[in-house]
Amino acid sequence: MTNLKEVEIKDEWFKPKAKNLEKAEMVVRPSLSYWADAWRKLKKNKLAMLGMFFLIFLAIMAIFVPIFSPYLVTATDYPSQNKAPSMTHWFGTDEAGRDVFTRTWYGARISLFVGLMAALIDFFIGIIYGGISGYKGGKVDLIMMRIIEVLYGLPHLLVVILLMVVMGSSLTTIIVALTITGWVGMARIVRGQVLQLKNYEFVTASKSFGAKTSRIIRKNLLPNTMGPIIVQMTLTVPSAIFAEAFLSFLGLGISAPFASWGVMANDALPVILSGHWWRLFFPAFFISLTMFAFNVLGDGLQDALDPKLRG
Amino acid sequence: MIQYIIKRFFMMVLTVLLIATLTFFLMHAIPGSPFDDDRTSNPTIQENLEKYYKLDQPLPVQYANYLKAIVTFDFGPSIKKPNDSVNSLLARGFPISFELGIITILVAVLSGVTLGTLAALRHNGIIDYLAMTFAVIGISIPNFILATLLIQIFAGELKWLPAATWQSPLHMILPTLALATGPMAIIARLTRSSMLEVLTQDYIKMARAKGLKPSRIIIRHALRNAMMPVVTIMGTMLAGILTGTFVIERIFAIPGMGKYFVESINNRDYPVIMGSTVFYSAFLVFMLFLVDIVYGILDPRIKLHKKEGESS
């Protein structure tokens, strides 16, 4: 038992803690904006963060490796063809002696470019079409949605293949072909969101102040639909990357000597049974990892940006 | 219901017509004629060829012929394989592609639903964790990459399975696996999330309270409702599997329709391209139509005719 008398009672114990007085009323969590809150939640999702860091790494490598590599993407070197990975060629060489390491990162460039461009163009067409359709409503909406319904029923990749045949294969054609069919999904999402939001009071308020339609869509409606739009964009990117690789693999996309992951996998096809594993492994590994990263990031964003799950 | 089916049928015809028209004008927008190669550089030969393929007639007449060809389902002879008609190519290739597609769908749906259900029942357990890891990986690996990897491992290194062609059930394992993994992963994820939601519903508690066997609750009560999202995405999934057959048949040298289609694209064999595009899209659009109707039958809560006016 401790002797109570031995405890010295200090005066300062009984003085009010002035410092804490201001915060005493703060029983709620710090007020976070929608985006800060989403970021906080995303940071907790380890897999999504891993995906994001991988994509940042991928982007940096895709930009700098082809610049600083001692080998050109298209440079052939027949004496050293089909060499296994070594110190001089980290990922080995292909049948024309081209450096697979340089080509892999060049392929990353193509994939990221196609993916991001497709997502960006889908975004612009989608928000304009979906925004107008959802906001106008009535007959306009009915007609615009009928058009979308017909387009939605089209077998997309088939249309893209057809367009590639007609327009000839190049990077621009791939992006054009992908976006001609790709914007429909985005437009549907934007329309659904706008349809919900347009009856809210703040829109009525804006309208009563005499705001024009374009301003209401731009300033009031779109910022509130950004969550689902961003998720849709993150999920567009991997499907565009897949489509580019698929087309290149079929011989409809980018063609050799230029490198894309699809082209590299296609070139590796005749030699896969002869033990040149690196020819297939590296493009296969990176395309899968990239799609994986975009998918987990998209999943993470979906959870983080959903206002219903805010907590 | 009947009204809805009629409406959907009309939409279906419209979509096919749109694709057919699009295909026709796109093909005719390509500069040059399909006979621009060395063998046929003689102008008289070219003229005769164009006459034979009826390419010398004015565009509207050609378009009318083409629409007639679609209705009567007769796309005429192939340009690059003069002994074959487009119809005979389709007749030869379609059964094989159909077989591949059906097996793939069966494998994808059965294993996907099983995997998703198991994951939901063992929520946050090891099975759940493993199944979902598998699912994310399955979604991320493109089918043509998976196909080549499978060949390299099972035909190249281990020599367990044949690398190509379509002869015995043994030959079917690798192509089916390559094609089914992606859809299987998507189905597993969807089944899991909708199953988790369904399992918290009151009618499941009710069924438990009545003392029904767990297996009966899951199969009769939970699964039927949990399957709805899966049915919804069946349409897009079918499109994916269909286009997937193009590459898979090419990689495994399977003599299906996809192989002829890709060949016709690479040789610019226009009648074959047009014929198979129209055939593919008509088939796919019809499948989407069926999926929609099945959806209506499966879910009694959906009153189809009430969908008028609003569509999401």
Side-chain angles (χ1 to χ4, degrees):
Chain A
M1 284 292 278
T2 33
N3 196 340
L4 284 173
K5 280 176 191 167
E6 281 176 22
V7 178
E8 192 186 330
I9 294 165
K10 295 172 182 166
D11 280 352
E12 58 202 82
W13 287 1
F14 299 95
K15 281 178 184 158
K17 283 191 171 175
K19 241 197 216 167
N20 285 356
L21 264 184
E22 291 167 20
K23 285 182 184 168
E25 296 290 304
M26 293 271 283
V27 286
V28 290
R29 61 166 188 187
S31 149
L32 287 172
S33 76
Y34 176 58
W35 296 108
D37 189 52
W39 173 238
R40 188 179 60 87
K41 259 192 290 183
L42 189 66
K43 267 197 291 195
K44 276 192 204 150
N45 186 335
K46 290 206 183 70
L47 206 55
M49 288 309 279
L50 208 68
M52 202 177 78
F53 285 125
F54 171 75
L55 291 173
I56 293 170
F57 168 74
L58 190 78
I60 293 171
M61 290 296 270
I63 293 169
F64 291 109
V65 169
I67 297 176
F68 292 110
S69 164
Y71 306 101
L72 272 174
V73 184
T74 54
T76 53
D77 178 14
Y78 285 97
S80 57
Q81 59 180 206
N82 284 329
K83 285 264 165 21
S86 64
M87 282 312 287
T88 41
H89 296 285
W90 289 354
F91 287 0
T93 60
D94 67 3
E95 83 282 348
R98 294 179 287 235
D99 182 45
V100 174
F101 183 74
T102 315
R103 288 173 74 74
T104 302
W105 294 110
Y106 189 84
R109 244 186 213 195
I110 303 273
S111 288
L112 287 179
F113 182 72
V114 168
L116 295 177
M117 284 307 282
L120 218 61
I121 298 173
D122 278 1
F123 167 76
F124 281 116
I125 302 177
I127 57 169
I128 293 171
Y129 195 96
I132 293 175
S133 177
Y135 186 74
K136 286 278 179 191
K139 273 230 168 63
V140 179
D141 183 39
L142 201 72
I143 292 166
M144 286 175 100
M145 275 302 117
R146 284 289 164 277
I147 294 172
I148 278 201
E149 246 171 70
V150 173
L151 288 179
Y152 203 72
L154 293 179
H156 288 185
L157 215 45
L158 212 59
V159 177
V160 171
I161 290 175
L162 213 60
L163 286 170
M164 296 299 296
V165 173
V166 176
M167 298 193 293
S169 42
S170 78
L171 206 53
T172 330
T173 359
I174 292 182
I175 294 170
V176 170
L178 285 180
T179 43
I180 282 180
T181 55
W183 60 272
V184 178
M186 179 66 88
R188 277 164 68 115
I189 287 176
V190 175
R191 176 205 173 246
Q193 290 280 317
V194 168
L195 215 56
Q196 252 178 35
L197 285 170
K198 72 171 176 186
N199 295 323
Y200 281 21
E201 283 81 358
F202 66 92
V203 178
T204 321
S206 193
K207 230 185 277 181
S208 64
F209 280 126
K212 272 184 277 179
T213 307
S214 66
R215 189 187 157 81
I216 292 174
I217 292 181
R218 234 169 349 117
K219 292 277 175 187
N220 300 131
L221 298 177
L222 285 179
N224 284 303
T225 63
M226 272 329 253
I229 289 175
I230 285 176
V231 172
Q232 170 75 9
M233 279 175 82
T234 355
L235 297 175
T236 304
V237 177
S239 67
I241 290 177
F242 169 77
E244 183 277 321
F246 182 89
L247 292 171
S248 298
F249 188 81
L250 280 183
L252 280 172
I254 294 156
S255 46
F258 286 100
S260 116
W261 289 334
V263 173
M264 291 169 74
N266 190 17
D267 288 347
L269 196 53
V271 297
I272 47 171
L273 292 180
S274 46
H276 302 324
W277 58 271
W278 60 92
R279 296 277 308 276
L280 177 66
F281 176 76
F282 291 108
F285 178 73
F286 279 100
I287 190 172
S288 306
L289 208 58
T290 307
M291 288 186 51
F292 178 79
F294 272 111
N295 280 328
V296 292
L297 182 62
D299 281 355
L301 282 173
Q302 194 150 31
D303 293 341
L305 290 171
D306 189 346
K308 277 181 286 179
L309 293 176
R310 198 174 173 179
Chain B
M1 182 75 183
I2 304 272
Q3 208 183 358
Y4 175 75
I5 293 177
I6 292 169
K7 201 181 120 196
R8 284 288 289 117
F9 184 81
F10 178 71
M11 288 290 290
M12 178 174 89
V13 173
L14 198 69
T15 310
V16 174
L17 193 70
L18 181 79
I19 297 168
T21 310
L22 197 74
T23 317
F24 179 82
F25 286 103
L26 280 176
M27 287 296 137
H28 284 266
I30 304 172
S33 105
F35 312 112
D36 285 342
D37 54 21
D38 313 330
R39 190 166 53 91
T40 53
S41 54
N42 187 327
T44 340
I45 296 177
Q46 270 212 22
E47 250 169 54
N48 284 333
L49 275 173
E50 284 187 359
K51 203 167 248 166
Y52 177 62
Y53 289 105
K54 292 182 183 165
L55 293 175
D56 55 339
Q57 288 161 343
L59 209 57
V61 180
Q62 280 190 46
Y63 183 60
N65 283 339
Y66 170 70
L67 288 184
K68 208 176 98 192
I70 293 173
V71 175
T72 56
F73 208 79
D74 177 15
F75 295 101
S78 154
I79 288 180
K80 294 291 151 88
K81 293 181 177 162
N83 299 326
D84 275 319
S85 74
V86 179
N87 279 7
S88 71
L89 286 180
L90 289 182
R92 215 180 311 151
F94 182 69
I96 297 175
S97 298
F98 192 70
E99 204 177 22
L100 173 62
I102 288 289
I103 299 175
T104 302
I105 290 170
L106 282 179
V107 170
V109 171
L110 289 181
S111 46
V113 169
T114 314
L115 212 60
T117 311
L118 284 177
L121 292 177
R122 299 272 176 277
H123 187 40
N124 288 333
I126 292 205
I127 295 179
D128 185 20
Y129 182 73
L130 285 179
M132 284 309 110
T133 312
F134 168 77
V136 184
I137 293 172
I139 291 172
S140 302
I141 302 182
N143 46 25
F144 59 94
I145 295 280
L146 187 63
T148 40
L149 285 175
L150 285 174
I151 293 180
Q152 189 158 26
I153 295 168
F154 290 102
E157 304 292 327
L158 299 172
K159 304 210 185 326
W160 286 354
L161 293 166
T165 71
W166 188 255
Q167 290 154 8
S168 68
L170 219 55
H171 287 83
M172 298 177 183
I173 295 176
L174 289 186
T176 314
L177 214 57
L179 199 52
T181 301
M184 177 179 19
I186 297 174
I187 292 178
R189 268 162 61 116
L190 264 180
T191 310
R192 173 181 174 267
S193 62
S194 67
M195 195 70 175
L196 282 177
E197 209 181 300
V198 167
L199 285 177
T200 61
Q201 299 285 317
D202 288 341
Y203 59 84
I204 298 293
K205 275 182 207 151
M206 176 66 187
R208 280 217 182 100
K210 280 198 300 187
L212 289 181
K213 266 191 295 178
S215 59
R216 194 181 159 84
I217 296 176
I218 286 152
I219 293 167
R220 286 285 305 255
H221 296 263
L223 210 52
R224 183 170 172 185
N225 290 291
M227 282 301 283
M228 297 317 293
V230 178
V231 177
T232 319
I233 57 147
M234 268 323 263
T236 12
M237 190 152 289
L238 283 171
I241 290 176
L242 193 107
T243 38
T245 58
F246 301 168
V247 276
I248 297 300
E249 287 177 7
R250 205 183 82 116
I251 295 170
F252 289 96
I254 297 168
M257 223 167 101
K259 187 171 155 277
Y260 293 123
F261 182 60
V262 173
E263 257 175 33
S264 73
I265 289 169
N266 289 330
N267 315 324
R268 303 289 189 266
D269 193 340
Y270 298 126
V272 181
I273 298 181
M274 293 207 275
S276 27
T277 308
V278 171
F279 182 78
Y280 269 134
S281 359
F283 180 72
L284 199 64
V285 171
F286 181 65
M287 283 314 199
L288 289 179
F289 174 67
L290 283 188
V291 165
D292 260 20
I293 291 172
V294 167
Y295 193 75
I297 293 169
L298 269 182
D299 191 353
R301 282 173 302 181
I302 294 180
K303 295 270 185 317
L304 290 173
H305 58 269
K306 274 195 182 165
K307 261 189 161 176
E308 290 285 313
E310 54 115 29
S311 54
S312 56

